């Protein structure tokens, strides 16, 4: 465990079994796409977060390969998370899994493994919406009570606010997710999946902005026109200039829409969550916009930006009283269809 992680968990001792009666240990499994992750929470505190991400040597994620990766690694990742927490499977009070949205074969692995464990140990099983888990882990670590939430990942790009028991999607992408756009452009520049970190590194080496289509439609954004435009630049402009200009364009679009959401909804704070929230530049832009309007901005720890099991465990814990009848996977599970009863 590296030092950043140690600071986040702030404990490395075995739980005191004598006083654990009032504590709820939740084990959460994430398997919607490329990552198999297992997190464990002790009430609302994360005590383990282990994962492995499939990194194809060429091309994108093939669903069957993701499922095989998850099946192969499930026992090892579960063991690593248990070892880190000092718990045994029999100590777990609640199991949670990512119910969707995601890739069907990958989702099935998390559902099957967690169903097996909950049956074997006779403990409750909670199905968690993956997108909401990205929001809740961000709220946990930023301690912001009611922020506008910019959720930016591979498959999703949404601007979300909480209202009356629902996470309302105030704006979103009309086509592909921002991470998907970055990964597609990356692939054309021979950068393997996930391209985000490498594009960020390249972008830092340029200050030469190439004008690109800036595509906001009301509160929504669209990336496919930018994809076509940028594809034509590859081979003619430097990868550094393309990466820099791409980041500046798409991040500005999203920060502009987020600001509008804050203004419309009278919210005075912003968080950015999801895999792309690991990017320093988008956080800088978010912080700058918030400062200008006297609002609060807090960056989430990088550890919890991308897909992880901790966010599933924690959200499962929040949902512990839910009575769920349908625990089937939901590949198209939308953020705004979940009733939020714990807020
Ligand atoms: P979701 O189901 O929430 O859409 P996901 O399957 O896309 O999740 P995440 O781990 O949330 O998984 O996000 C992965 C995405 O984040 C990838 O597209 C990746 O390129 C992008 N990403 C990771 N790090 C960075 C970074 N530093 N800058 C920009 N993008 C990044
Ligand atoms: Fe995700």
């Amino acid at each position: 465990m590296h030092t950043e992680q140690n600071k986040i968990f702030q404990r490395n001792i075995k739980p005191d079994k004598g006083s654990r009666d009032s504590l709820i240990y939740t084990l959460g499994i994430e398997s919607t796409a490329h990552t198999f992750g297992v997190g464990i929470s002790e009430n609302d505190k994360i005590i383990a977060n282990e994962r492995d991400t499939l990194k194809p040597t060429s091309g994108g994620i093939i669903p069957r390969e993701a499922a095989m990766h998850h099946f192969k690694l499930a026992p090892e990742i579960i063991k690593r998370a248990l070892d880190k927490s000092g718990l045994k499977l029999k100590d777990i009070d609640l199991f949670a899994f990512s119910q969707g949205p995601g890739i069907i074969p990958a989702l099935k692995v998390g559902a099957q493994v967690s169903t097996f464990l909950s049956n074997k140990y006779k403990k409750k099983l909670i199905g968690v919406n993956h997108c909401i888990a990205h929001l809740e882990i961000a709220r946990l670590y930023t301690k912001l009570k009611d922020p506008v939430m910019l959720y930016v990942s591979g498959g999703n790009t949404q601007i979300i606010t909480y209202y009356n028991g629902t996470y309302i999607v105030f704006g979103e992408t009309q086509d592909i997710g921002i991470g998907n756009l970055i990964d597609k452009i990356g692939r054309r520049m021979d950068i393997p999946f996930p391209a985000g970190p490498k594009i960020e590194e390249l972008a830092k080496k340029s200050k030469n902005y190439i004008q690109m289509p800036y595509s906001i439609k009301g509160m929504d954004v669209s990336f496919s026109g930018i994809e076509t435009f940028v594809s034509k630049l590859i081979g003619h402009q430097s990868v550094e200039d393309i990466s820099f200009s791409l980041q500046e364009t798409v991040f500005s679009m999203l920060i502009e829409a987020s600001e509008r959401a804050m203004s419309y909804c009278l919210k005075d704070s912003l968080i950015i969550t999801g895999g792309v929230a690991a990017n320093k530049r988008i956080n800088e832009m978010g912080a700058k916009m918030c400062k200008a309007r006297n609002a609060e901005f807090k960056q989430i720890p990088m550890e919890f930006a991308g897909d992880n099991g901790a966010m599933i465990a924690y959200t499962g814990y929040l949902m512990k009283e839910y009575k769920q009848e349908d625990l089937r996977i939901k590949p198209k599970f939308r953020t705004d269809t979940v009733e939020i009863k714990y807020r």
Side-chain angles (χ1 to χ4, degrees), residues 249-297:
T249 307
V250 292
F251 294 167
S252 301
M253 284 161 46
L254 292 170
I255 298 299
E256 183 194 320
S258 302
E259 179 170 27
R260 212 154 35 237
M262 289 171 79
S263 170
Y264 285 155
C265 304
L266 304 174
K267 308 246 177 178
D268 57 7
S269 57
L270 174 73
I271 49 183
I272 307 179
T273 192
V276 182
N279 187 292
K280 196 161 166 260
R281 182 62 183 140
I282 196 170
N283 283 287
E284 256 171 36
M285 285 188 184
K288 195 170 171 194
M289 178 273 280
C290 285
K291 193 164 177 225
R293 52 182 295 119
N294 227 352
E296 208 174 346
F297 178 83

Side-chain angles (χ1 to χ4, degrees), residues 48-337:
N49 188 31
E50 296 294 312
R51 73 185 124 190
D52 192 274
T53 299
L54 173 67
K55 293 199 171 112
T57 41
S58 65
I61 298 286
I62 297 166
R64 197 169 37 88
E65 282 179 9
M68 272 156 58
H69 165 268
H70 299 348
F71 251 125
K72 208 170 122 207
L73 281 149
E76 182 194 322
I77 312 280
I78 293 171
K79 184 176 183 307
R80 264 171 31 198
L82 288 167
D83 288 351
K84 200 132 287 174
S85 69
L87 296 168
K88 300 253 180 288
L89 275 171
K90 65 175 173 48
D91 301 321
I92 301 296
D93 303 292
L94 188 63
F95 290 94
F97 74 104
S98 237
Q99 210 173 358
I103 305 168
I104 295 172
L107 280 170
K108 278 186 181 167
V109 181
Q112 286 162 356
V113 172
S114 57
T115 304
F116 169 77
L117 292 173
S118 87
N119 283 337
K120 181 161 184 218
Y121 292 94
K122 300 190 173 41
K123 299 287 165 58
K124 188 169 175 174
L125 179 64
I126 298 273
V128 171
N129 176 293
H130 173 93
C131 312
I132 290 180
H134 273 297
L135 306 181
E136 297 304 357
I137 199 79
R139 287 207 310 129
L140 175 71
Y141 279 100
T142 58
K143 305 247 174 314
L144 290 174
K145 291 235 154 14
D146 190 18
V148 161
M149 292 163 284
L150 172 59
Y151 166 36
V152 276
S153 61
N156 290 285
T157 305
Q158 297 180 327
I159 295 149
I160 297 162
T161 60
Y162 174 79
Y163 179 72
N164 209 11
T166 315
Y167 282 119
I168 298 189
V169 179
F170 213 71
E172 64 188 311
T173 176
Q174 290 182 343
D175 38 55
I176 55 172
I178 181 172
N180 243 311
L181 168 75
I182 291 172
D183 295 333
K184 279 182 171 185
I185 300 295
R187 209 178 309 154
R188 295 208 182 96
M189 300 197 302
D190 292 326
I191 301 168
F193 173 89
K198 180 74 189 170
I199 298 245
E200 176 172 17
E201 204 185 298
L202 290 167
K204 283 186 192 142
K205 296 182 187 144
S206 166
K207 284 262 172 289
N208 180 29
Y209 183 71
I210 308 161
Q211 193 77 38
M212 291 185 178
Y214 187 89
S215 186
I216 297 202
K217 298 167 187 181
M219 282 303 299
D220 289 341
V221 292
S222 148
F223 296 124
S224 55
I226 299 175
E227 188 198 338
T228 311
F229 183 88
V230 175
S231 300
K232 289 183 188 153
L233 295 179
I234 296 170
H236 303 285
Q237 303 280 353
S238 77
V239 286
E240 289 82 4
D241 290 351
I242 292 175
S243 302
F244 171 72
S245 309
L246 176 68
Q247 281 201 169
E248 293 303 301
T249 307
V250 292
F251 294 167
S252 301
M253 284 161 46
L254 292 170
I255 298 299
E256 183 194 320
S258 302
E259 179 170 27
R260 212 154 35 237
M262 289 171 79
S263 170
Y264 285 155
C265 304
L266 304 174
K267 308 246 177 178
D268 57 7
S269 57
L270 174 73
I271 49 183
I272 307 179
T273 192
V276 182
N279 187 292
K280 196 161 166 260
R281 182 62 183 140
I282 196 170
N283 283 287
E284 256 171 36
M285 285 188 184
K288 195 170 171 194
M289 178 273 280
C290 285
K291 193 164 177 225
R293 52 182 295 119
N294 227 352
E296 208 174 346
F297 178 83
K298 280 207 188 126
Q299 188 173 335
I300 64 166
M302 243 178 115
E303 165 80 15
F304 300 107
D307 289 355
N308 63 87
M311 68 183 193
I312 306 303
Y314 173 61
T315 311
Y317 167 73
L318 293 175
M319 295 171 67
K320 59 189 178 303
E321 307 297 343
Y322 278 48
K323 289 184 177 57
Q324 294 173 306
E325 270 160 30
D326 188 0
L327 283 170
R328 286 173 300 183
I329 57 162
K330 299 181 179 182
K332 301 224 179 295
F333 202 1
R334 273 194 63 89
T335 313
D336 46 13
T337 57

